[in-house]
Amino acid sequence: MPDTETVEHDVLVIGAGGAGLRAAIEAAAAGVTVGVVCKSLLGKAHTVMAEGGVAAALGNVDDRDSWRVHFADTMRGGQYLNNWRMAEIHAKEAPARVLELEAWGAVFDRTPDGRILQRNFGGHRYPRLAHVGDRTGLEMIRTLQDHAVHLGIDVHMEVTVITLLTDGNRVCGAFAYDRERGRFRLFRAKAVVLATGGVGRAFSVTSNSWEYTADGQMLAYNAGAELQDMEFVQFHPTGMVWPPSVRGLLVTEAVRGEGGVLRNNEGRRFMFDDIPENYRSQTADTEEEGWRYVQGDKSARRPPELLTRDHVARCIVHEVRAGRGSPHGGVYLDIAWIKEKLPNAAEHIRKKLPSMYHQFKQLADIDITSEPMEIGPTTHYMMGGIRVDGDTQMTAVPGLFAAGECAAGLHGANRLGGNSLSDLLVFGKRAGEHAATFAKAHAAGRIDAGAVDHAARSALVAFEHGGGGEGPYHVQHDLQTMMQDLVGIVRHEDEMRQALARLDDLKRRAAGVGISGNREYNPGWHTAMDLRNLIAVSEAITRAALERRESRGGHFRDDYPDKDPVFAGFNVVLAKGEDGTMRLTRVPIPPLPAELEQVIEEQKS
């Protein structure tokens, strides 16, 4: 195509969130040329919305913590479907990555003796989350961004990648367009790292940014990589439910970590009603014990509000369905009640939760220091994603790596809060390191001009349809509503079969969407391009959810409400067949090594 600009890098990183920036920094440190492509502006990645903290067993608040406890917590939270090698690496390396971030200038909250402060979070046995108030992700991005700029890494802002290019079976580049002018760009690269985040925009109620349209997952899938655990979508229990303009906006788990409690419309703390057996020994029996835990009493057990996110979300849905919900379809999250315990409660809340205080005050005219918040589950995180090697983060496609939320394995069936930010640091570093090693060992591949031309022509089809085609926003709205209703937090086979049929129709409609105007910053065009990935990832989620005929972690089947041991031994893996259809297989999980089995046994009491 005549308006295509060509750019060359040894390593191309797609995504500029925590994983992408950490990968780029590590690759650049290895001495290769690095380019970072981001859909938005540098510094605007969705990582900035991660509020509560980064999980790492530093042991600064409770010296009983260690990588062994963190590993066991992660495996238990993931219902043992995790890639155990990734869980081991993550637990062992997270502390070093946090201290490294501190050395690069990150300013964490401090203990009285000057160490990094750590707070409680759901599913973590001890206070483990290093934090900066409730703005931890923002501090992480600022620090990584400054470090990357200092290293002189090239950044291509407001650029969307359309397809990965391959030479034989290895990756050799990417084809993209810039969102401002609409011009095409061809990136030549010896290795590519995908760090594009999640899929939340496939659902109507989500905490995710507009960028989360499954780009990385489907780029990898179409290039020949496998997807894993796509049935496991995490619905964060606490998103705003009122007013409608902010429905789904995240309310950090740190509110509960600082003493916030969940109540139904009767004023009762309903989370005490249903405590899973495998967490009973670690969960408080009384409200008083729960309060002592959040105040740092090492002899107390955590309150049930700090159980895993999947469980808390389902308990909220149960209350709403039983008619005990709030006026706008949620329940109440109350941090104001701590005034009964602390004389300076309002000041304490504003200090510990500054973003939450301003978010509710400005967007909902609610003062969280004096009244409860209305909250409900929101599509938040994707445990599934691109299948990678646990040590190197390389996919089944040579030279193609993935890290962060777009990659699968670490979290299994359910992610613990705070593990996402340490995931970005630990596996972003590893992906960048091994991508650089691959780039040094391999010459550049050959770009297929025919594949580039096909990608360009395919990208412009919606312009050919013009105003006569259906608008892409209508298709997107119908897709999101359908996925929320039929493949959401509670699933049933009949509804998911309906969803598959509806997806066939949505594919047809998406192929016929039309847009008017030109290519210069045309949001309709951008939406039309996003639809391809959103529809494909919705199919992957639905097919995997149909296959897993049980309830486990973030996946709950109304028609199969219990865990089935038959489904405990494999991951559901999807790949693109030669005929273009989605092929599903069950891949057995390798047995735990004896030493890691022993670690889990040690932590069961």
Side-chain angles (χ1 to χ4, degrees):
M1 300 295 286
D3 63 345
T4 301
E5 175 188 356
T6 300
V7 184
E8 293 192 26
H9 299 290
D10 292 327
V11 174
L12 180 69
V13 179
I14 303 174
L21 288 175
R22 189 62 190 83
I25 288 167
E26 197 65 21
V32 300
T33 62
V34 180
V36 175
V37 174
C38 52
K39 225 170 163 178
S40 184
L41 297 171
L42 185 64
K44 296 287 187 180
H46 191 53
T47 305
V48 303
M49 296 303 293
E51 296 156 332
V54 48
L58 296 163
N60 289 348
V61 172
D62 193 321
D63 59 11
R64 293 174 295 179
D65 204 9
S66 69
W67 79 262
R68 301 167 77 87
V69 187
H70 194 181
F71 169 77
D73 286 349
T74 299
M75 293 296 292
R76 184 189 294 113
Q79 305 283 310
Y80 304 100
L81 294 186
N82 322 57
N83 178 321
W84 51 259
R85 177 59 179 152
M86 289 178 72
E88 177 190 14
I89 290 169
H90 170 255
K92 287 180 174 178
E93 297 184 2
R97 298 286 76 79
V98 171
L99 294 174
E100 181 177 64
L101 205 64
E102 180 187 36
W104 291 346
V107 181
F108 290 98
D109 289 355
R110 298 283 162 178
T111 63
D113 61 357
R115 293 177 296 170
I116 294 173
L117 183 62
Q118 297 180 274
R119 66 163 37 121
N120 296 303
F121 239 57
H124 294 280
R125 187 164 190 171
Y126 302 122
R128 189 176 287 145
L129 270 71
H131 59 279
V132 186
D134 55 2
R135 296 169 176 162
T136 312
L138 178 61
E139 184 69 10
M140 178 184 286
I141 285 294
R142 283 175 174 167
T143 304
L144 293 173
Q145 176 182 306
D146 287 351
H147 203 69
V149 169
H150 176 72
L151 291 173
I153 294 167
D154 289 337
V155 180
H156 307 273
M157 291 186 276
E158 294 192 296
V159 171
T160 296
V161 176
I162 299 171
T163 188
L164 295 177
L165 302 169
T166 55
D167 178 8
N169 70 336
R170 63 161 285 196
V171 73
C172 63
F175 187 66
Y177 70 93
D178 80 79
R179 300 172 73 87
E180 182 182 9
R181 303 299 300 275
R183 294 175 178 170
F184 293 123
R185 291 196 196 179
L186 172 61
F187 293 94
R188 295 176 178 268
K190 298 173 184 175
V192 174
V193 178
L194 294 169
T196 56
V199 308
R201 286 293 156 183
F203 296 84
S204 60
V205 180
T206 181
S207 64
N208 291 178
S209 80
W210 62 270
E211 296 173 281
Y212 270 31
T213 53
D215 297 10
Q217 290 86 343
M218 301 324 298
L219 287 170
Y221 172 82
N222 288 321
E226 297 170 322
L227 301 178
Q228 173 182 308
D229 296 337
M230 296 301 287
E231 66 271 36
F232 295 120
V233 181
Q234 183 173 83
F235 296 87
H236 193 292
T238 58
M240 292 181 75
V241 299
W242 190 259
S245 59
V246 294
R247 185 171 175 82
L249 193 62
L250 188 65
V251 180
T252 175
E253 198 164 321
V255 175
R256 285 171 283 142
E258 298 294 343
V261 300
L262 294 169
R263 302 186 193 276
N264 59 22
N265 62 19
E266 299 168 355
R268 185 168 54 81
R269 283 180 68 178
F270 58 87
M271 286 303 302
F272 280 97
D273 299 347
D274 183 5
I275 298 171
E277 195 58 43
N278 61 334
Y279 283 101
R280 188 170 298 281
S281 65
Q282 299 177 15
T283 305
D285 288 329
T286 66
E287 295 184 11
E288 184 61 32
E289 183 183 9
W291 170 249
R292 287 191 287 109
Y293 177 91
V294 299
Q295 292 302 294
D297 184 341
K298 293 183 180 181
S299 68
R301 295 170 296 176
R302 62 184 168 219
E305 282 86 359
L306 289 176
L307 286 164
T308 56
R309 289 174 172 179
D310 57 326
H311 179 74
V312 177
R314 283 197 293 274
C315 287
I316 291 171
V317 170
H318 180 266
E319 292 301 301
V320 173
R321 289 186 169 185
R324 296 187 292 269
S326 64
H328 302 106
V331 295
Y332 296 105
L333 173 59
D334 185 8
I335 185 73
W337 82 276
I338 68 171
K339 61 180 177 285
E340 301 169 13
K341 301 287 187 179
L342 300 177
N344 60 339
E347 180 186 345
H348 178 83
I349 292 166
R350 286 193 292 267
K351 178 183 176 182
K352 291 288 188 178
L353 303 163
S355 291
M356 288 300 97
Y357 175 78
H358 290 293
Q359 178 174 307
F360 275 88
K361 191 68 175 171
Q362 293 174 6
L363 301 179
D365 195 27
I366 288 173
D367 182 350
I368 69 170
T369 68
S370 61
E371 55 189 314
M373 304 155 250
E374 269 194 82
I375 57 87
T378 180
T379 314
H380 180 59
Y381 190 88
M382 189 63 175
M383 276 75 72
I386 305 160
R387 186 173 169 87
V388 294
D389 174 76
D391 286 275
T392 67
Q393 297 299 106
M394 191 156 78
T395 70
V397 178
L400 180 61
F401 301 78
E405 189 175 353
C406 73
L410 170 60
H411 308 294
N414 179 63
R415 175 178 68 82
L416 300 186
N419 273 0
S420 55
L421 290 189
S422 40
D423 175 10
L424 305 181
L425 295 173
V426 169
F427 294 108
K429 175 194 180 293
R430 280 183 167 255
E433 173 189 350
H434 290 283
T437 300
F438 187 95
K440 289 177 179 179
H442 295 82
R446 184 184 65 85
I447 299 292
D448 183 344
V452 172
D453 186 63
H454 174 76
R457 293 182 187 283
S458 175
L460 299 175
V461 166
F463 284 105
E464 296 174 11
H465 297 155
E470 183 179 11
Y473 297 105
H474 295 128
V475 182
Q476 182 189 53
H477 175 270
D478 289 353
L479 170 68
Q480 292 169 333
T481 302
M482 184 272 292
M483 287 298 291
Q484 191 77 38
D485 293 345
L486 302 182
V487 200
I489 191 167
V490 177
R491 297 164 175 170
H492 193 282
E493 179 164 354
D494 291 345
E495 293 179 341
M496 290 189 287
R497 295 283 179 201
Q498 290 178 45
L500 282 181
R502 298 266 291 276
L503 282 167
D504 285 338
D505 182 55
L506 286 162
K507 284 180 199 174
R508 178 191 57 75
R509 289 170 60 190
V513 296
I515 48 176
S516 55
N518 55 43
R519 286 159 58 180
E520 293 192 349
Y521 211 93
N522 188 323
W525 183 33
H526 305 163
T527 302
M529 297 297 290
D530 290 342
L531 274 176
R532 303 175 184 187
N533 293 333
L534 286 172
I535 291 171
V537 83
S538 296
E539 181 182 352
I541 292 167
T542 307
R543 290 194 183 281
L546 276 164
E547 180 70 9
R548 185 166 291 279
R549 292 185 291 277
E550 65 160 355
S551 292
R552 185 183 296 269
H555 169 70
F556 184 80
R557 290 280 298 260
D558 207 18
D559 46 351
Y560 296 97
D562 299 317
K563 277 192 285 191
D564 184 340
V566 171
F567 289 85
F570 62 84
N571 300 112
V572 175
V573 174
L574 297 159
K576 192 172 186 177
E578 291 183 7
D579 60 355
T581 60
M582 204 168 272
R583 301 293 176 85
L584 185 149
T585 55
R586 297 179 175 186
V587 178
I589 298 171
L592 270 172
E595 61 271 23
L596 293 182
E597 187 78 58
Q598 179 61 34
V599 170
I600 289 174
E601 287 300 317
E602 288 172 4
Q603 304 303 326
K604 280 187 175 177
S605 59

